[in-house]
């Protein structure tokens, strides 16, 4: 999507607003009336050396005269990223990648956009061949570093930090990931509580409500993911098998206490992560229990997948829309999500020891039905 150059339409509009004739403008610029007419009808463009003179005459900038917008709106970013998600799902990988590269070239200083493109690379890295995977990751990492060097928006920088570290980990560079995150890692200081107090003091109770609801939803989701990561770490130590069980029990309790199956679309991933932890520890029966929980959560998914609130978190969705460029949209196209629901289990070598178990086969059959 190359930004449109609309210099002719802008010359016409500015001339009409100034109540000038084509002859008036032509005389000032030292060109013919026919030249001005051709600009305004889109038959030709002014010579490049005339652009500053035209812009000065109408008291505007060259960028505004050209109609060039180096930034996309939030709605424009959502639209373009949705288009690229679909491209990754329906086109050969190389073509989808090329579309991403073209968009980045057109909007190389639109940091919210290139942060989302880098995130798109991270979420579709598994589609790339071995050589393509390295290229894609390197491109994503460089986009993240450009954002960190040049953007003044903390939200874009935080996305870039996380995506860069994720890409480094995915390509086998854990030390580089540590170095990328260590200096910027911050413990949550509860700034949302202070912000909500400030909103309340101003009588802006809806803003206070939305801030706390949104922060609480984020905290719950992060808590679940931290529990799964702890379980994966503990699974390597036989002495901590009991802690893996406790982590799973507490994760289920948290999901149940806040009815998270009703608004957090990725509770299935929690069950899946614990299945990985249990199989790593050699506990096949608990692995199957978790995979059955994964299958049940997948069956409850509603497509198109979108982060949202519920009756309790009735302002969480508004918060997500405010703070996230893509709002609650899923990071992958629906077709790819359905495909990975099945392949995440069937193509996972970790589950080879239980592949012939009737319970495992029932899970796979059910997932295949969900993916249709």
């Amino acid at each position: 999507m190359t930004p449109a150059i609309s210099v002719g339409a802008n010359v016409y509009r500015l001339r009409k607003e100034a109540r000038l004739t084509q002859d008036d403008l032509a005389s000032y610029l030292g060109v013919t009336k026919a030249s001005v007419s051709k600009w305004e009808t889109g038959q030709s463009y002014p010579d490049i050396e005339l652009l500053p003179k035209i812009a000065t005459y109408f008291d505007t900038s060259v960028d505004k005269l050209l109609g060039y917008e180096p930034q996309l709106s939030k709605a424009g970013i959502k639209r373009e990223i949705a288009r690229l998600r679909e491209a990754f799902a329906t086109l050969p990988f190389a073509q989808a990648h090329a579309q991403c590269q073209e968009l980045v070239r057109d909007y190389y200083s639109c940091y919210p956009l290139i942060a989302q493109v880098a995130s798109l690379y991270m979420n579709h890295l598994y589609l790339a061949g071995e050589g393509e995977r390295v290229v894609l990751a390197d491109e994503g990492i460089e986009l993240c570093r450009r954002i960190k060097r040049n953007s003044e928006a903390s939200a874009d920088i935080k996305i870039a930090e996380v995506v860069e570290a994720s890409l480094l980990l995915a390509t086998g560079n854990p030390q580089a990931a540590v170095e990328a995150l260590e200096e910027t890692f911050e413990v949550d200081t509860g700034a949302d509580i202070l912000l909500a107090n400030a909103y309340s003091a101003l009588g802006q109770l809806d803003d206070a409500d939305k801030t706390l609801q949104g922060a609480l939803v984020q905290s719950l989701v992060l808590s679940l993911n931290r529990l799964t990561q702890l379980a994966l770490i503990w699974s390597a130590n036989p002495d901590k098998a009991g802690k893996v069980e406790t982590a799973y029990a507490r994760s289920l309790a948290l999901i149940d206490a806040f009815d998270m199956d009703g608004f957090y679309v990725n509770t299935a991933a929690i069950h899946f992560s614990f299945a990985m932890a249990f199989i790593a520890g050699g506990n096949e029966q608990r692995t199957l229990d978790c995979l059955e929980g994964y299958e049940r959560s997948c069956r409850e998914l509603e497509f198109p997948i979108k982060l949202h609130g519920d009756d309790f978190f009735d302002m969480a969705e508004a918060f997500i829309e405010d703070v996230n460029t893509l709002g609650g949209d899923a990071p992958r196209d629906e077709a790819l999500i359905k495909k990975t629901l099945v392949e995440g289990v069937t193509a996972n070598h970790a589950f080879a020891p239980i592949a012939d178990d009737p319970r495992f086969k029932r899970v796979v059959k059910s997932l295949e039905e969900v993916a249709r």
Side-chain angles (χ1 to χ4, degrees):
M1 176 186 166
T2 302
I5 302 299
S6 52
V7 60
N10 286 333
V11 167
Y12 175 80
R13 176 180 56 78
L14 291 166
R15 181 176 64 77
K16 286 294 186 180
E17 288 174 356
R19 298 185 179 182
L20 298 171
T21 65
Q22 289 182 340
D23 280 322
D24 293 331
L25 181 57
S27 177
Y28 173 78
L29 296 173
V31 298
T32 64
K33 176 185 175 182
S35 294
V36 174
S37 177
K38 287 182 179 179
W39 302 343
E40 294 184 351
T41 56
Q43 297 176 59
S44 66
Y45 292 124
D47 291 339
I48 192 168
E49 64 268 18
L50 285 176
L51 294 176
K53 194 172 182 179
I54 299 171
T56 301
Y57 185 62
F58 289 117
D59 192 23
T60 190
S61 68
V62 172
D63 274 0
K64 288 182 179 178
L65 178 67
L66 292 173
Y68 174 68
E69 293 291 342
Q71 305 291 317
L72 277 173
S73 65
K74 186 174 180 178
I77 293 172
K78 288 185 70 171
R79 182 178 62 250
E80 289 301 305
I81 295 300
R83 176 177 67 83
L84 294 175
R85 278 199 303 266
E86 183 179 1
F88 273 115
T90 59
L91 299 177
F93 176 84
Q95 289 183 31
H97 183 198
Q99 288 188 18
C100 293
Q101 291 174 312
E102 181 182 2
L103 187 66
V104 167
R105 282 194 296 269
D106 289 340
Y107 293 98
Y108 200 40
S109 63
C110 183
Y111 300 118
L113 171 69
I114 64 174
Q116 294 303 326
V117 172
S119 182
L120 203 66
Y121 284 178
M122 176 185 71
N123 280 292
H124 294 83
L125 200 63
Y126 71 100
L127 293 176
E130 190 60 40
E132 294 171 320
R133 189 175 299 124
V134 175
V135 171
L136 195 70
D138 286 347
E139 278 186 30
I141 289 166
E142 182 49 43
L143 290 178
C144 291
R145 290 174 178 171
R146 174 174 171 78
I147 294 165
K148 288 162 65 178
R149 286 193 304 268
N150 300 325
S151 179
E152 296 180 357
S154 60
D156 297 337
I157 293 170
K158 287 183 181 299
I159 291 173
E161 289 170 350
V162 171
V163 172
E164 179 188 3
S166 298
L167 289 169
L168 288 167
L169 274 174
T171 51
N173 292 292
Q175 183 57 45
V178 168
E179 292 168 1
L181 287 175
E182 248 182 353
E183 292 184 3
T184 59
F185 173 75
E186 297 176 357
V187 176
D188 187 354
T189 58
D192 57 293
I193 299 173
L194 290 173
L195 180 58
N197 284 338
Y199 279 139
S200 296
L202 292 170
Q204 298 172 220
L205 299 183
D206 281 349
D207 289 326
D209 191 357
K210 180 171 67 174
T211 298
L212 288 173
Q213 282 194 37
L216 181 54
V217 167
Q218 287 186 322
S219 179
L220 289 169
V221 170
L222 288 172
S223 293
L224 285 176
N225 282 285
R226 286 169 179 141
L227 282 166
T228 63
Q229 288 302 307
L230 280 170
L232 289 167
I233 293 167
W234 292 333
S235 67
N237 185 343
D239 294 336
K240 295 191 175 182
K243 295 187 75 172
V244 177
E245 285 281 2
T246 301
Y248 189 42
R250 293 185 179 184
S251 296
L252 295 180
L254 195 60
I255 291 170
D256 183 60
F258 284 91
D259 194 20
M260 292 182 71
D261 277 320
F263 70 85
Y264 177 45
V265 298
N266 214 20
T267 53
I270 305 302
H271 295 286
F272 184 87
S273 294
F274 276 101
M276 292 295 293
F278 281 121
I279 199 67
N283 191 333
E284 295 182 0
Q285 291 307 306
R286 292 300 280 144
T287 301
L288 289 164
D289 292 340
C290 292
L291 287 176
E292 287 172 345
Y294 171 72
E295 176 263 330
R296 285 193 297 272
S297 290
C298 289
R299 279 198 166 278
E300 292 176 8
L301 288 174
E302 294 182 3
F303 293 93
I305 289 177
K306 187 178 177 69
L307 288 172
H308 56 82
D310 61 7
D311 290 342
F312 182 77
F313 291 115
D314 59 336
M315 300 193 77
E317 191 167 345
F319 176 86
I320 293 166
E321 291 291 337
D322 286 348
V323 302
N324 191 330
T325 302
L326 299 185
D329 292 351
R332 294 176 188 159
D333 183 83
E334 179 179 325
L336 282 181
I337 292 173
K338 288 182 175 181
K339 183 180 180 183
T340 55
L341 291 180
V342 180
E343 291 184 352
V345 175
T346 58
N348 195 319
H349 297 304
F351 298 136
I354 58 173
D356 292 328
D357 190 288
R359 292 173 68 192
F360 183 85
K361 290 181 177 179
R362 281 197 298 272
V363 166
V364 171
K365 183 179 179 180
S366 178
L367 291 172
E368 288 172 344
E369 292 173 358
V370 173
R372 287 186 189 135

